[in-house]
Amino acid sequence: MGERVEWASNLTFLMAMIGAAVGLGNIWRFPYIFYSNGQGSFLIPYLCAILILGLSFLLLEYSLGAKFKDSVLNTFARVDKKFKLVAWAIMLISFLIVTYYLCIVGWDLNYFVLSFTKAWGANPDAFFNISLLHSTTDLSGITQIVPYVFIAILVLWVIVWYISHKGLNEGIGKFTSLFVPLLFILGIGIAIYNVTLPGASIGLVRFLQPNWSLLLTADIWLAAFGQILFTLSLGITVVLAYSSHLPEKVNLTRNACTVILANCGFELTNAIGVFSILGYMSYTTGLSFDQLITSGSGLAFVVFPQVFNILGDVGYILGPIFFFSILIAGITTAISYIEPLVDSFEDTFNISRKKAVTIISIMGFLVSVIFATAAGNLLITLFDDFLNNFALMIGIILQCIIFAHFYGTTDLKAMLNRYTWFTVGTWWDVIIKYILPILIAVLWIIGVYDLIMSSNVEKLLVYVIIAIALIIVPLILNFLDNKINKVDA
């Protein structure tokens, strides 16, 4: 293995890390989570989740990357070779997430083009579910390819391949350094415009109005921890992979705090913009706020097109900007999600980065095709539920156990404290070794319970197939790894 490539600068690394964190979860998931969990009072558990989960786990992954300066696979192997299997499984989770994530970004790519003429028409709901997705409520639609979604996914995988195969600095670094600042400028610009709309105060009042009684319930706390887990891309080894390319003498604690502040600042700014424009729509149409606020694709591809319709000519400007922002956020996140696997393929199979990216992109596109079918919307929901509520949680718990208990935190704390804003001490040990695994275990139990209670035979079949893949594929990759690298025996 040759000399490890380093980021051109710490700023380039930060742009890549912020790009990895800022994604669809910031733009359309957070406003709904915020609204349905106490509005203003949600900020208290949200800040606690940042400190306990976000900062602590980011510091763990930063310290591992800076300490070992190796691929994700080799980092796990440094503790014990048997943990390679865990590394392959976690990277496969990240890979599967990006295969359906790019399908959602593909919907947005279609809407970006449509937004210039508002081609979704007077009924955005029907257009999205029927005209664009041809959605079926069961798996019978899996044999029906949806052309526009298929083409969008192909285009996006080509873009991801092109950026990633150019290399760490020439590809990922240059792309994120250009588009992450642009994403923030667009986001702030949209928010400023939205708060000036008539009726925006309706949304802002709902945004800030606290429901203090919810602080005594478990749901609001679990929602906050789940959001931080989702929005900071924790547990999928992206942070570990990116930080392994850091130069020496970098302030890791400052970097972690910078990424958190940027991510959460964007999240809150975007939420202010969303609540403002929904307040405007409530004021204009007479609909109650509760009828407008929704989660996920419904907010982006149904509610917002309705808003752009009402805005008249301004909608022809605001619409493309909005959907272009989602496109940037989606691509910067997607390229980060395949990086751990690219890095590990290079080391394990002794191939060039270009070849590793090409193999992974082709495999990713082939898997993504199943989401470009009429059953794609349903499959995305099932994959997302299983991978985020079940598989990813286990991955985080295992990482805490492997690195905090089997490897130990002494060297990692020393790495963090070499150049630091604050001393990482016993408090971090307690969080990483005990508090964090227990909290994630609680989230996992709730997630598994929800999966079981909401499942039918069809859903269980999909879950079983995903689970088998998460077992079989890592075993195959581990076998190939052991066969190629017998010298380490």
Side-chain angles (χ1 to χ4, degrees):
M1 184 175 67
E3 186 177 347
R4 193 160 185 81
V5 176
E6 292 186 346
W7 292 103
S9 67
N10 189 55
L11 180 61
T12 305
F13 164 75
L14 283 174
M15 290 298 102
M17 274 302 312
I18 294 169
V22 175
L24 303 184
N26 303 71
I27 296 174
W28 70 33
R29 188 177 190 268
F30 179 73
Y32 179 77
I33 295 294
F34 191 95
Y35 179 74
S36 58
N37 288 279
Q39 296 100 55
S41 54
F42 182 73
L43 286 173
I44 294 176
Y46 180 71
L47 291 172
C48 291
I50 289 172
L51 294 174
I52 296 174
L53 171 58
L55 180 60
S56 298
F57 201 84
L58 272 182
L59 290 177
L60 174 63
E61 293 203 79
Y62 273 135
S63 63
L64 288 168
K67 171 69 179 176
F68 294 113
K69 292 191 177 299
D70 212 333
S71 67
V72 169
L73 190 70
N74 289 340
T75 298
F76 277 74
R78 295 283 190 93
V79 182
D80 194 307
K81 286 187 174 60
K82 65 174 177 283
F83 292 137
K84 279 188 172 185
L85 198 58
V86 177
W88 282 124
I90 292 173
M91 288 187 288
L92 180 59
I93 293 170
S94 177
F95 171 77
L96 289 175
I97 289 174
V98 82
T99 60
Y100 68 78
Y101 188 89
L102 277 179
C103 180
I104 300 172
V105 181
W107 300 347
D108 176 76
L109 179 57
N110 276 286
Y111 269 78
F112 172 64
V113 176
L114 295 168
S115 64
F116 288 96
T117 60
K118 300 184 187 178
W120 48 71
N123 190 343
D125 190 0
F127 178 87
F128 176 62
N129 289 294
I130 300 173
S131 301
L132 180 67
L133 300 186
H134 304 289
S135 288
T136 58
T137 56
D138 54 42
L139 294 178
S140 62
I142 200 169
T143 58
Q144 179 188 349
I145 295 290
V146 181
Y148 289 112
V149 178
F150 178 87
I151 293 169
I153 290 174
L154 176 60
V155 169
L156 287 167
W157 269 112
V158 170
I159 292 172
V160 168
W161 169 83
Y162 180 78
I163 295 169
S164 189
H165 99 284
K166 296 283 286 184
L168 198 71
N169 291 302
E170 288 300 309
I172 298 171
K174 283 188 175 180
F175 183 83
T176 54
S177 294
L178 173 63
F179 284 100
V180 167
L182 178 60
L183 176 62
F184 274 73
I185 291 170
L186 294 177
I188 293 170
I190 290 174
I192 291 173
Y193 175 79
N194 288 354
V195 297
T196 65
L197 292 170
S201 59
I202 297 172
L204 293 175
V205 167
R206 300 301 292 270
F207 176 73
L208 297 171
Q209 187 177 38
N211 186 346
W212 300 115
S213 63
L214 289 180
L215 289 176
L216 301 177
T217 66
D219 288 347
I220 187 173
W221 293 89
L222 293 173
F225 278 85
Q227 176 62 22
I228 293 301
L229 171 72
F230 186 86
T231 190
L232 288 175
S233 300
L234 300 179
I236 54 177
T237 65
V238 167
V239 179
L240 198 163
Y242 273 4
S243 61
S244 69
H245 296 280
L246 277 170
E248 295 291 337
K249 299 182 179 180
V250 170
N251 190 323
L252 298 176
T253 56
R254 182 178 61 192
N255 278 352
C257 291
T258 301
V259 171
I260 288 173
L261 287 171
N263 175 78
C264 297
F266 180 88
E267 202 161 61
L268 289 167
T269 301
N270 175 74
I272 290 171
V274 169
F275 275 80
S276 296
I277 204 165
L278 293 181
Y280 162 77
M281 189 170 181
S282 177
Y283 172 81
T284 305
T285 64
L287 295 171
S288 71
F289 203 84
D290 292 336
Q291 291 176 279
L292 298 174
I293 186 71
T294 183
S295 182
S297 58
L299 179 64
F301 303 125
V302 176
V303 176
F304 267 82
Q306 291 172 346
V307 173
F308 299 142
N309 284 346
I310 294 171
L311 281 170
D313 289 342
V314 175
Y316 291 110
I317 300 172
L318 203 61
I321 293 174
F322 173 74
F323 290 115
F324 184 65
S325 297
I326 294 178
L327 187 62
I328 295 173
I331 292 173
T332 56
T333 300
I335 58 178
S336 73
Y337 274 36
I338 68 168
E339 185 61 25
L341 203 54
V342 169
D343 219 9
S344 295
F345 264 43
E346 284 185 81
D347 286 352
T348 301
F349 303 114
N350 300 312
I351 57 178
S352 67
R353 179 182 180 89
K354 290 183 179 180
K355 187 173 289 187
V357 173
T358 301
I359 292 170
I360 292 166
S361 296
I362 291 172
M363 292 191 302
F365 170 71
L366 292 176
V367 176
S368 292
V369 169
I370 67 171
F371 305 111
T373 64
N377 201 1
L378 172 62
L379 285 169
I380 287 172
T381 301
L382 298 180
F383 268 66
D384 190 59
D385 285 345
F386 185 87
L387 293 174
N388 281 295
N389 295 335
F390 180 78
L392 186 56
M393 299 288 186
I394 294 177
I396 291 177
I397 294 171
L398 288 175
Q399 286 178 76
C400 287
I401 293 171
I402 290 170
F403 295 113
H405 292 276
F406 282 87
Y407 179 73
T409 58
T410 302
D411 290 345
L412 301 181
K413 283 190 295 184
M415 177 63 63
L416 292 169
N417 288 329
R418 286 192 311 169
Y419 311 98
T420 184
W421 268 6
F422 53 85
T423 302
V424 177
T426 305
W427 61 270
W428 187 65
D429 287 332
V430 174
I431 291 174
I432 292 296
K433 288 183 177 179
Y434 308 109
I435 296 177
L436 189 52
I438 291 171
L439 282 172
I440 298 299
V442 171
L443 284 171
W444 182 82
I445 292 170
I446 293 172
V448 172
Y449 175 79
D450 289 341
L451 281 179
I452 294 172
M453 294 303 294
S454 64
S455 295
N456 53 32
V457 175
E458 196 173 61
K459 289 183 178 181
L460 287 173
L461 175 63
V462 175
Y463 295 152
V464 169
I465 292 172
I466 301 171
I468 291 173
L470 288 175
I471 295 171
I472 298 298
V473 175
L475 284 171
I476 293 172
L477 291 170
N478 202 51
F479 171 77
L480 293 173
D481 175 29
N482 290 334
K483 193 170 183 179
I484 292 171
N485 299 290
K486 286 182 180 179
V487 291
D488 293 332

PDB file of all heavy atoms in Angstrom, residues 37 61 69 125 134 154 157 159 169 187 232 241 290 310 340 344 366 377 383 401 418 456 474 480:
ATOM      1  N   ASN A  37     -42.594  17.160  18.237  1.00  0.00           N
ATOM      2  CA  ASN A  37     -42.000  16.834  19.537  1.00  0.00           C
ATOM      3  C   ASN A  37     -41.777  18.075  20.389  1.00  0.00           C
ATOM      4  O   ASN A  37     -40.690  18.296  20.943  1.00  0.00           O
ATOM      5  CB  ASN A  37     -40.688  16.081  19.341  1.00  0.00           C
ATOM      6  CG  ASN A  37     -40.893  14.665  18.857  1.00  0.00           C
ATOM      7  OD1 ASN A  37     -41.189  13.758  19.634  1.00  0.00           O
ATOM      8  ND2 ASN A  37     -40.756  14.466  17.549  1.00  0.00           N
ATOM      9  N   GLU A  61     -14.843   8.640  16.381  1.00  0.00           N
ATOM     10  CA  GLU A  61     -14.466   8.345  14.995  1.00  0.00           C
ATOM     11  C   GLU A  61     -13.302   9.216  14.532  1.00  0.00           C
ATOM     12  O   GLU A  61     -12.431   8.756  13.783  1.00  0.00           O
ATOM     13  CB  GLU A  61     -15.678   8.518  14.073  1.00  0.00           C
ATOM     14  CG  GLU A  61     -16.777   7.483  14.330  1.00  0.00           C
ATOM     15  CD  GLU A  61     -17.679   7.292  13.133  1.00  0.00           C
ATOM     16  OE1 GLU A  61     -17.295   6.580  12.189  1.00  0.00           O
ATOM     17  OE2 GLU A  61     -18.780   7.881  13.148  1.00  0.00           O
ATOM     18  N   LYS A  69      -4.888   6.139  10.769  1.00  0.00           N
ATOM     19  CA  LYS A  69      -4.642   6.600   9.393  1.00  0.00           C
ATOM     20  C   LYS A  69      -4.674   5.431   8.407  1.00  0.00           C
ATOM     21  O   LYS A  69      -3.744   5.198   7.623  1.00  0.00           O
ATOM     22  CB  LYS A  69      -3.302   7.337   9.310  1.00  0.00           C
ATOM     23  CG  LYS A  69      -3.307   8.658  10.066  1.00  0.00           C
ATOM     24  CD  LYS A  69      -2.082   9.480   9.758  1.00  0.00           C
ATOM     25  CE  LYS A  69      -2.131  10.830  10.459  1.00  0.00           C
ATOM     26  NZ  LYS A  69      -3.258  11.655  10.053  1.00  0.00           N
ATOM     27  N   ASP A 125     -49.918  16.260  -5.375  1.00  0.00           N
ATOM     28  CA  ASP A 125     -50.010  14.958  -4.716  1.00  0.00           C
ATOM     29  C   ASP A 125     -50.203  13.853  -5.746  1.00  0.00           C
ATOM     30  O   ASP A 125     -49.483  12.848  -5.758  1.00  0.00           O
ATOM     31  CB  ASP A 125     -51.174  14.972  -3.713  1.00  0.00           C
ATOM     32  CG  ASP A 125     -51.174  13.737  -2.815  1.00  0.00           C
ATOM     33  OD1 ASP A 125     -50.281  12.881  -2.982  1.00  0.00           O
ATOM     34  OD2 ASP A 125     -52.068  13.626  -1.964  1.00  0.00           O
ATOM     35  N   HIS A 134     -45.636   6.277 -10.277  1.00  0.00           N
ATOM     36  CA  HIS A 134     -46.512   5.131 -10.599  1.00  0.00           C
ATOM     37  C   HIS A 134     -46.599   4.171  -9.403  1.00  0.00           C
ATOM     38  O   HIS A 134     -46.554   2.945  -9.564  1.00  0.00           O
ATOM     39  CB  HIS A 134     -46.002   4.371 -11.826  1.00  0.00           C
ATOM     40  CG  HIS A 134     -45.850   5.216 -13.043  1.00  0.00           C
ATOM     41  ND1 HIS A 134     -46.922   5.717 -13.750  1.00  0.00           N
ATOM     42  CD2 HIS A 134     -44.735   5.667 -13.695  1.00  0.00           C
ATOM     43  CE1 HIS A 134     -46.483   6.424 -14.780  1.00  0.00           C
ATOM     44  NE2 HIS A 134     -45.157   6.415 -14.762  1.00  0.00           N
ATOM     45  N   LEU A 154     -29.479   6.789 -12.836  1.00  0.00           N
ATOM     46  CA  LEU A 154     -28.297   6.548 -13.674  1.00  0.00           C
ATOM     47  C   LEU A 154     -27.430   7.800 -13.734  1.00  0.00           C
ATOM     48  O   LEU A 154     -26.196   7.730 -13.563  1.00  0.00           O
ATOM     49  CB  LEU A 154     -28.734   6.135 -15.077  1.00  0.00           C
ATOM     50  CG  LEU A 154     -27.602   5.939 -16.108  1.00  0.00           C
ATOM     51  CD1 LEU A 154     -26.632   4.856 -15.647  1.00  0.00           C
ATOM     52  CD2 LEU A 154     -28.182   5.599 -17.480  1.00  0.00           C
ATOM     53  N   TRP A 157     -25.658   8.321 -10.302  1.00  0.00           N
ATOM     54  CA  TRP A 157     -24.549   7.399 -10.059  1.00  0.00           C
ATOM     55  C   TRP A 157     -23.333   7.765 -10.905  1.00  0.00           C
ATOM     56  O   TRP A 157     -22.190   7.622 -10.470  1.00  0.00           O
ATOM     57  CB  TRP A 157     -24.966   5.955 -10.324  1.00  0.00           C
ATOM     58  CG  TRP A 157     -25.499   5.268  -9.105  1.00  0.00           C
ATOM     59  CD1 TRP A 157     -26.776   4.852  -8.856  1.00  0.00           C
ATOM     60  CD2 TRP A 157     -24.745   4.924  -7.926  1.00  0.00           C
ATOM     61  NE1 TRP A 157     -26.876   4.284  -7.598  1.00  0.00           N
ATOM     62  CE2 TRP A 157     -25.644   4.309  -7.016  1.00  0.00           C
ATOM     63  CE3 TRP A 157     -23.415   5.069  -7.551  1.00  0.00           C
ATOM     64  CZ2 TRP A 157     -25.247   3.845  -5.766  1.00  0.00           C
ATOM     65  CZ3 TRP A 157     -23.001   4.617  -6.298  1.00  0.00           C
ATOM     66  CH2 TRP A 157     -23.916   4.017  -5.417  1.00  0.00           C
ATOM     67  N   ILE A 159     -22.585  10.847 -11.775  1.00  0.00           N
ATOM     68  CA  ILE A 159     -22.033  12.024 -11.100  1.00  0.00           C
ATOM     69  C   ILE A 159     -21.211  11.602  -9.879  1.00  0.00           C
ATOM     70  O   ILE A 159     -20.082  12.089  -9.673  1.00  0.00           O
ATOM     71  CB  ILE A 159     -23.161  12.993 -10.678  1.00  0.00           C
ATOM     72  CG1 ILE A 159     -23.812  13.629 -11.911  1.00  0.00           C
ATOM     73  CG2 ILE A 159     -22.619  14.084  -9.746  1.00  0.00           C
ATOM     74  CD1 ILE A 159     -25.057  14.441 -11.603  1.00  0.00           C
ATOM     75  N   ASN A 169      -8.911  14.877  -3.117  1.00  0.00           N
ATOM     76  CA  ASN A 169      -8.834  16.332  -3.234  1.00  0.00           C
ATOM     77  C   ASN A 169      -9.353  16.861  -4.563  1.00  0.00           C
ATOM     78  O   ASN A 169     -10.105  17.837  -4.599  1.00  0.00           O
ATOM     79  CB  ASN A 169      -7.385  16.794  -3.016  1.00  0.00           C
ATOM     80  CG  ASN A 169      -6.931  16.612  -1.578  1.00  0.00           C
ATOM     81  OD1 ASN A 169      -7.543  17.145  -0.654  1.00  0.00           O
ATOM     82  ND2 ASN A 169      -5.879  15.840  -1.384  1.00  0.00           N
ATOM     83  N   GLY A 187     -29.518  28.288   1.278  1.00  0.00           N
ATOM     84  CA  GLY A 187     -30.388  27.997   2.417  1.00  0.00           C
ATOM     85  C   GLY A 187     -30.714  29.245   3.225  1.00  0.00           C
ATOM     86  O   GLY A 187     -31.871  29.474   3.602  1.00  0.00           O
ATOM     87  N   LEU A 232     -26.114  13.562  11.558  1.00  0.00           N
ATOM     88  CA  LEU A 232     -24.654  13.658  11.562  1.00  0.00           C
ATOM     89  C   LEU A 232     -23.984  12.459  10.887  1.00  0.00           C
ATOM     90  O   LEU A 232     -22.764  12.332  10.917  1.00  0.00           O
ATOM     91  CB  LEU A 232     -24.136  13.807  12.994  1.00  0.00           C
ATOM     92  CG  LEU A 232     -24.391  15.161  13.664  1.00  0.00           C
ATOM     93  CD1 LEU A 232     -23.947  15.141  15.117  1.00  0.00           C
ATOM     94  CD2 LEU A 232     -23.693  16.293  12.911  1.00  0.00           C
ATOM     95  N   ALA A 241     -13.487   7.242   7.986  1.00  0.00           N
ATOM     96  CA  ALA A 241     -12.798   7.204   6.695  1.00  0.00           C
ATOM     97  C   ALA A 241     -12.234   8.566   6.314  1.00  0.00           C
ATOM     98  O   ALA A 241     -11.073   8.682   5.901  1.00  0.00           O
ATOM     99  CB  ALA A 241     -13.757   6.705   5.616  1.00  0.00           C
ATOM    100  N   ASP A 290     -51.508  22.215  11.033  1.00  0.00           N
ATOM    101  CA  ASP A 290     -51.404  20.764  11.187  1.00  0.00           C
ATOM    102  C   ASP A 290     -51.654  20.025   9.876  1.00  0.00           C
ATOM    103  O   ASP A 290     -51.148  18.921   9.663  1.00  0.00           O
ATOM    104  CB  ASP A 290     -52.396  20.253  12.243  1.00  0.00           C
ATOM    105  CG  ASP A 290     -52.024  20.720  13.639  1.00  0.00           C
ATOM    106  OD1 ASP A 290     -50.828  21.012  13.856  1.00  0.00           O
ATOM    107  OD2 ASP A 290     -52.909  20.792  14.508  1.00  0.00           O
ATOM    108  N   ILE A 310     -48.815  28.720  -5.359  1.00  0.00           N
ATOM    109  CA  ILE A 310     -49.471  29.879  -4.747  1.00  0.00           C
ATOM    110  C   ILE A 310     -48.617  31.131  -4.880  1.00  0.00           C
ATOM    111  O   ILE A 310     -49.127  32.247  -5.036  1.00  0.00           O
ATOM    112  CB  ILE A 310     -49.785  29.584  -3.264  1.00  0.00           C
ATOM    113  CG1 ILE A 310     -50.824  28.460  -3.156  1.00  0.00           C
ATOM    114  CG2 ILE A 310     -50.295  30.831  -2.550  1.00  0.00           C
ATOM    115  CD1 ILE A 310     -51.034  27.962  -1.749  1.00  0.00           C
ATOM    116  N   PRO A 340     -15.985   4.901   2.708  1.00  0.00           N
ATOM    117  CA  PRO A 340     -15.394   3.824   3.513  1.00  0.00           C
ATOM    118  C   PRO A 340     -15.167   2.546   2.712  1.00  0.00           C
ATOM    119  O   PRO A 340     -14.134   1.888   2.847  1.00  0.00           O
ATOM    120  CB  PRO A 340     -16.433   3.609   4.624  1.00  0.00           C
ATOM    121  CG  PRO A 340     -17.141   4.912   4.729  1.00  0.00           C
ATOM    122  CD  PRO A 340     -17.209   5.431   3.330  1.00  0.00           C
ATOM    123  N   SER A 344     -11.551   0.736   1.622  1.00  0.00           N
ATOM    124  CA  SER A 344     -11.299  -0.646   2.030  1.00  0.00           C
ATOM    125  C   SER A 344     -11.101  -1.569   0.835  1.00  0.00           C
ATOM    126  O   SER A 344     -10.308  -2.517   0.899  1.00  0.00           O
ATOM    127  CB  SER A 344     -12.458  -1.149   2.902  1.00  0.00           C
ATOM    128  OG  SER A 344     -12.515  -0.422   4.116  1.00  0.00           O
ATOM    129  N   LEU A 366     -26.929  -1.064  -9.890  1.00  0.00           N
ATOM    130  CA  LEU A 366     -27.730  -2.272 -10.097  1.00  0.00           C
ATOM    131  C   LEU A 366     -28.705  -2.495  -8.940  1.00  0.00           C
ATOM    132  O   LEU A 366     -29.852  -2.893  -9.156  1.00  0.00           O
ATOM    133  CB  LEU A 366     -26.817  -3.489 -10.271  1.00  0.00           C
ATOM    134  CG  LEU A 366     -25.979  -3.503 -11.553  1.00  0.00           C
ATOM    135  CD1 LEU A 366     -25.032  -4.701 -11.565  1.00  0.00           C
ATOM    136  CD2 LEU A 366     -26.873  -3.518 -12.792  1.00  0.00           C
ATOM    137  N   ASN A 377     -41.134   3.316  -3.962  1.00  0.00           N
ATOM    138  CA  ASN A 377     -41.466   4.118  -2.782  1.00  0.00           C
ATOM    139  C   ASN A 377     -41.675   3.228  -1.564  1.00  0.00           C
ATOM    140  O   ASN A 377     -41.197   3.525  -0.464  1.00  0.00           O
ATOM    141  CB  ASN A 377     -42.718   4.949  -3.064  1.00  0.00           C
ATOM    142  CG  ASN A 377     -42.832   6.152  -2.142  1.00  0.00           C
ATOM    143  OD1 ASN A 377     -41.977   6.386  -1.303  1.00  0.00           O
ATOM    144  ND2 ASN A 377     -43.901   6.905  -2.292  1.00  0.00           N
ATOM    145  N   PHE A 383     -36.626  -0.482   3.432  1.00  0.00           N
ATOM    146  CA  PHE A 383     -35.165  -0.495   3.597  1.00  0.00           C
ATOM    147  C   PHE A 383     -34.735   0.510   4.655  1.00  0.00           C
ATOM    148  O   PHE A 383     -33.898   0.220   5.509  1.00  0.00           O
ATOM    149  CB  PHE A 383     -34.478  -0.169   2.262  1.00  0.00           C
ATOM    150  CG  PHE A 383     -34.145  -1.373   1.432  1.00  0.00           C
ATOM    151  CD1 PHE A 383     -35.152  -2.155   0.895  1.00  0.00           C
ATOM    152  CD2 PHE A 383     -32.835  -1.719   1.197  1.00  0.00           C
ATOM    153  CE1 PHE A 383     -34.856  -3.269   0.118  1.00  0.00           C
ATOM    154  CE2 PHE A 383     -32.511  -2.838   0.423  1.00  0.00           C
ATOM    155  CZ  PHE A 383     -33.533  -3.616  -0.114  1.00  0.00           C
ATOM    156  N   ILE A 401     -18.406  -0.929  21.751  1.00  0.00           N
ATOM    157  CA  ILE A 401     -17.841  -2.069  22.475  1.00  0.00           C
ATOM    158  C   ILE A 401     -16.433  -2.390  21.974  1.00  0.00           C
ATOM    159  O   ILE A 401     -15.494  -2.574  22.761  1.00  0.00           O
ATOM    160  CB  ILE A 401     -18.756  -3.308  22.322  1.00  0.00           C
ATOM    161  CG1 ILE A 401     -20.083  -3.067  23.048  1.00  0.00           C
ATOM    162  CG2 ILE A 401     -18.072  -4.563  22.869  1.00  0.00           C
ATOM    163  CD1 ILE A 401     -21.129  -4.131  22.789  1.00  0.00           C
ATOM    164  N   ARG A 418      -4.024  16.157  22.109  1.00  0.00           N
ATOM    165  CA  ARG A 418      -2.754  16.732  21.635  1.00  0.00           C
ATOM    166  C   ARG A 418      -2.930  18.204  21.250  1.00  0.00           C
ATOM    167  O   ARG A 418      -2.163  19.064  21.633  1.00  0.00           O
ATOM    168  CB  ARG A 418      -2.237  15.945  20.423  1.00  0.00           C
ATOM    169  CG  ARG A 418      -1.650  14.591  20.764  1.00  0.00           C
ATOM    170  CD  ARG A 418      -0.895  14.020  19.572  1.00  0.00           C
ATOM    171  NE  ARG A 418      -1.677  14.070  18.338  1.00  0.00           N
ATOM    172  CZ  ARG A 418      -1.185  13.832  17.126  1.00  0.00           C
ATOM    173  NH1 ARG A 418       0.106  13.554  16.982  1.00  0.00           N
ATOM    174  NH2 ARG A 418      -1.963  13.880  16.057  1.00  0.00           N
ATOM    175  N   ASN A 456     -46.286  -6.815   8.036  1.00  0.00           N
ATOM    176  CA  ASN A 456     -47.111  -7.896   7.514  1.00  0.00           C
ATOM    177  C   ASN A 456     -46.170  -8.890   6.836  1.00  0.00           C
ATOM    178  O   ASN A 456     -44.944  -8.735   6.893  1.00  0.00           O
ATOM    179  CB  ASN A 456     -48.164  -7.366   6.533  1.00  0.00           C
ATOM    180  CG  ASN A 456     -47.545  -6.517   5.426  1.00  0.00           C
ATOM    181  OD1 ASN A 456     -46.415  -6.755   5.005  1.00  0.00           O
ATOM    182  ND2 ASN A 456     -48.292  -5.512   4.962  1.00  0.00           N
ATOM    183  N   PRO A 474     -21.037  -9.800   3.752  1.00  0.00           N
ATOM    184  CA  PRO A 474     -19.815  -9.608   4.543  1.00  0.00           C
ATOM    185  C   PRO A 474     -18.993 -10.888   4.681  1.00  0.00           C
ATOM    186  O   PRO A 474     -17.753 -10.832   4.679  1.00  0.00           O
ATOM    187  CB  PRO A 474     -20.336  -9.139   5.909  1.00  0.00           C
ATOM    188  CG  PRO A 474     -21.632  -8.473   5.595  1.00  0.00           C
ATOM    189  CD  PRO A 474     -22.222  -9.303   4.493  1.00  0.00           C
ATOM    190  N   LEU A 480     -12.897 -13.523   0.784  1.00  0.00           N
ATOM    191  CA  LEU A 480     -12.012 -13.056  -0.278  1.00  0.00           C
ATOM    192  C   LEU A 480     -10.823 -12.301   0.302  1.00  0.00           C
ATOM    193  O   LEU A 480      -9.681 -12.446  -0.175  1.00  0.00           O
ATOM    194  CB  LEU A 480     -12.788 -12.152  -1.241  1.00  0.00           C
ATOM    195  CG  LEU A 480     -13.888 -12.825  -2.072  1.00  0.00           C
ATOM    196  CD1 LEU A 480     -14.678 -11.786  -2.854  1.00  0.00           C
ATOM    197  CD2 LEU A 480     -13.286 -13.876  -3.014  1.00  0.00           C
TER     198      LEU A 480
END
